DNA sequence: TAGTATT
């Protein structure tokens, strides 16, 4: 029997009230991840994100050994998480540093080392209801932590009665928590709580879904449509998270990039893209986010003022493949980021015309 | 009484 009450990586999750960014210690420093140094699990992915987009985003960090978006076996719908296995452990660490907490659409993605796959860690998620409305996430964890290591916790907001989730590291820990806490009154509570296993969405293959599938069998987009769909998804991705809105194509003047001027931007290591009109508080993550979905991004840089450390209004992105860089430019030039309209072009060597 | 973490 395994010891469950080790004081190991204690999960002191701070309740941000945000979308369940649950920093159980630092994923970088957890120290007990000897078989997880390259394999990452990515949680809270937007529903619309495809495996290709996942691969593009994480492939911009470094070479990927494998990448898998987990989908419902029946419907094919994304289950909102996936795995990215890097060749180099350093890239895995860099991905955590760079992409954990990134906002995509309505989600804030979580990037952390994957635990070794095992049946013992499956179905360890609990649904808790009847909680005091005043209970915080931290208090919820304190209540449950006596039964094992908590992987994630959440209290739903806007609930009449307190509803929350607790995911344990091991299913057996969840079972013990049900035995110990279901029907019990937490300290200072007036009503008992209900603790049960959370519904497993992958088992929710009801007749309606099957019926839908039956009436639209294996619909596939032809290739050009697939590209349009990709673009549409990107629009959506960029839209809600950062208030990025697409402008009509002709609103950008000074757009000397796509008219077939010089073949600029080629810099040996890839295609260098100039991004102009960034906000003073812009950082690298927004560049990764905007360009990553288009393909291999090898580097991003925000140019900052030496003294204030504020962005000077522009930055650079290096992409490996010309086609992907051109698509990124075509799509992102003219985007409104906050209250600014971006100008995106291949980098030129001249700052003024001769 | 409901979000979605083990390929």
């Amino acid at each position: 029997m395994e010891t469950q009450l080790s004081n190991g990586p204690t999960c002191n999750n701070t309740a941000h009230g945000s979308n369940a960014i649950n920093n159980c210690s630092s994923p970088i420093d957890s120290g007990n991840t000897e078989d997880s140094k390259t394999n990452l699990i990515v949680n809270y992915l937007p529903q619309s994100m495809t495996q290709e987009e996942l691969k593009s985003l994480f492939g911009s960090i470094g070479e990927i050994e494998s990448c898998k978006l987990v989908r419902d076996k029946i419907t094919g719908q994304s289950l909102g998480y996936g795995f990215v296995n890097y060749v180099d452990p350093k890239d895995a660490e860099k991905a955590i540093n760079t992409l954990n907490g990134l906002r995509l659409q309505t989600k804030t993605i979580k990037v952390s080392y994957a635990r070794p796959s095992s049946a013992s860690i499956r179905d360890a998620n609990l649904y808790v209801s009847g909680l005091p409305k005043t209970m915080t996430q931290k208090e919820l964890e304190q209540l449950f932590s006596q039964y094992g290591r908590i992987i994630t916790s959440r209290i739903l907001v806007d609930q009449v009665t307190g509803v929350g989730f607790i995911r344990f590291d091991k299913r057996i820990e969840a079972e013990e928590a049900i035995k110990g806490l279901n029907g019990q009154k937490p300290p200072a509570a007036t009503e008992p709580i209900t603790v049960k296993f959370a519904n497993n969405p992958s088992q929710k293959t009801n007749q309606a879904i099957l019926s839908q599938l039956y009436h639209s069998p294996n619909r596939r987009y032809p290739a050009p449509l697939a590209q349009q769909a990709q673009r549409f998804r990107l629009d959506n991705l960029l839209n809600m998270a950062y208030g990025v809105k697409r402008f009509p194509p002709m609103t950008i003047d000074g757009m000397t990039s796509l008219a077939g001027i010089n073949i600029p931007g080629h810099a040996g290591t890839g295609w260098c893209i100039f991004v102009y009109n960034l906000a003073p508080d812009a950082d690298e993550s927004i560049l990764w986010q905007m360009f990553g979905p288009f393909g291999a991004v090898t580097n991003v840089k925000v140019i900052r003022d030496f003294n204030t450390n504020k962005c000077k209004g522009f930055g650079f992105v290096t992409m490996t493949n010309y086609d992907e860089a051109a698509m990124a430019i075509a799509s992102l030039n003219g985007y409104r980021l906050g209250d600014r309209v971006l100008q995106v072009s291949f980098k030129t060597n001249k700052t003024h015309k001769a």
Side-chain angles (χ1 to χ4, degrees):
Chain A
M1 179 184 297
E2 283 189 42
T3 304
Q4 297 171 19
L5 297 178
S6 72
N7 290 325
T10 310
C11 286
N12 287 322
N13 297 323
T14 48
H16 299 104
S18 62
N19 197 357
I21 287 294
N22 211 340
N23 294 314
C24 292
S25 67
S26 164
I28 299 291
D29 300 326
S30 47
N32 59 348
T33 56
E34 40 278 354
D35 31 12
S36 322
K37 290 225 166 63
T38 60
N39 196 24
L40 302 179
I41 184 165
V42 187
N43 292 295
Y44 308 109
L45 292 169
Q47 171 64 38
S48 62
M49 195 167 197
T50 65
Q51 180 164 294
E52 280 308 302
E53 288 172 326
L54 182 68
K55 187 173 184 181
S56 293
L57 182 58
F58 283 80
S60 65
I61 303 287
E63 186 181 353
I64 290 175
E65 191 276 328
S66 63
C67 169
K68 177 159 190 177
L69 178 71
V70 180
R71 298 178 177 278
D72 183 281
K73 287 189 180 70
I74 308 280
T75 68
Q77 295 284 299
S78 166
L79 294 182
Y81 69 95
F83 296 89
V84 176
N85 193 24
Y86 282 99
V87 173
D88 188 340
K90 285 192 170 60
D91 289 330
E93 182 178 341
K94 185 178 173 187
I96 291 174
N97 288 327
T98 308
L99 299 174
N100 184 41
L102 197 63
R103 292 177 56 197
L104 285 177
Q105 205 168 306
T106 61
K107 302 286 188 175
T108 301
I109 70 170
K110 181 179 178 184
V111 185
S112 56
Y113 289 114
R115 290 172 285 162
S117 184
S118 157
S120 65
I121 67 176
R122 299 184 59 184
D123 302 318
N125 198 25
L126 296 180
Y127 174 83
V128 187
S129 58
L131 295 166
K133 286 168 66 178
T134 56
M135 182 173 265
T136 65
Q137 185 183 16
K138 187 173 183 179
E139 290 167 339
L140 180 67
E141 289 203 358
Q142 285 171 345
L143 183 62
F144 281 83
S145 61
Q146 58 186 311
Y147 296 98
R149 179 187 173 203
I150 295 170
I151 300 300
T152 59
S153 69
R154 160 180 286 190
I155 287 184
L156 300 184
V157 293
D158 303 329
Q159 292 297 317
V160 179
T161 60
V163 173
F165 292 89
I166 291 278
R167 178 179 298 280
F168 279 103
D169 183 37
K170 298 285 196 293
R171 179 178 173 93
I172 191 170
E173 297 169 338
E175 289 171 351
E176 290 303 313
I178 292 175
K179 289 179 191 169
L181 292 174
N182 183 39
Q184 301 294 311
K185 280 193 290 193
T190 58
E191 298 299 323
I193 61 174
T194 299
V195 184
K196 57 202 268 192
F197 282 108
N199 291 339
N200 191 334
S202 61
Q203 294 168 353
K204 195 174 52 177
T205 55
N206 57 36
Q207 293 176 341
I209 292 174
L210 290 172
S211 172
Q212 271 191 340
L213 283 177
Y214 189 75
H215 290 296
S216 56
N218 287 340
R219 180 183 304 173
R220 284 206 176 158
Y221 295 112
L225 261 188
Q227 279 197 341
Q228 288 183 24
Q230 176 99 351
R231 268 285 292 283
F232 183 69
R233 274 195 298 273
L234 183 74
D235 280 353
N236 286 337
L237 273 180
L238 292 168
N239 218 320
M240 294 177 74
Y242 283 93
V244 183
K245 297 257 195 285
R246 183 150 186 80
F247 253 48
M250 67 293 293
T251 51
I252 297 305
D253 57 348
M255 173 177 153
T256 54
S257 54
L258 289 178
I261 310 288
N262 295 323
I263 310 289
H266 194 240
T269 59
W271 297 87
C272 190
I273 298 167
F274 176 62
V275 185
Y276 180 71
N277 213 15
L278 294 169
D281 61 351
D283 62 9
E284 272 74 9
S285 70
I286 184 62
L287 294 180
W288 286 116
Q289 181 184 341
M290 286 194 299
F291 288 83
F294 289 95
V297 176
T298 57
N299 192 46
V300 301
K301 186 168 187 60
V302 168
I303 304 303
R304 294 183 168 87
D305 181 272
F306 182 81
N307 293 314
T308 66
N309 209 34
K310 291 290 185 184
C311 174
K312 292 171 76 171
F314 63 99
F316 297 98
V317 175
T318 305
M319 297 186 70
T320 303
N321 304 307
Y322 174 83
D323 288 351
E324 293 169 349
M327 183 64 76
I329 290 169
S331 299
L332 293 172
N333 185 41
Y335 262 102
R336 187 158 71 83
L337 184 58
D339 57 353
R340 293 160 176 268
V341 176
L342 298 184
Q343 294 179 39
V344 182
S345 65
F346 282 114
K347 178 181 178 295
T348 60
N349 289 324
K350 315 174 192 176
T351 54
H352 57 275
K353 292 197 173 184

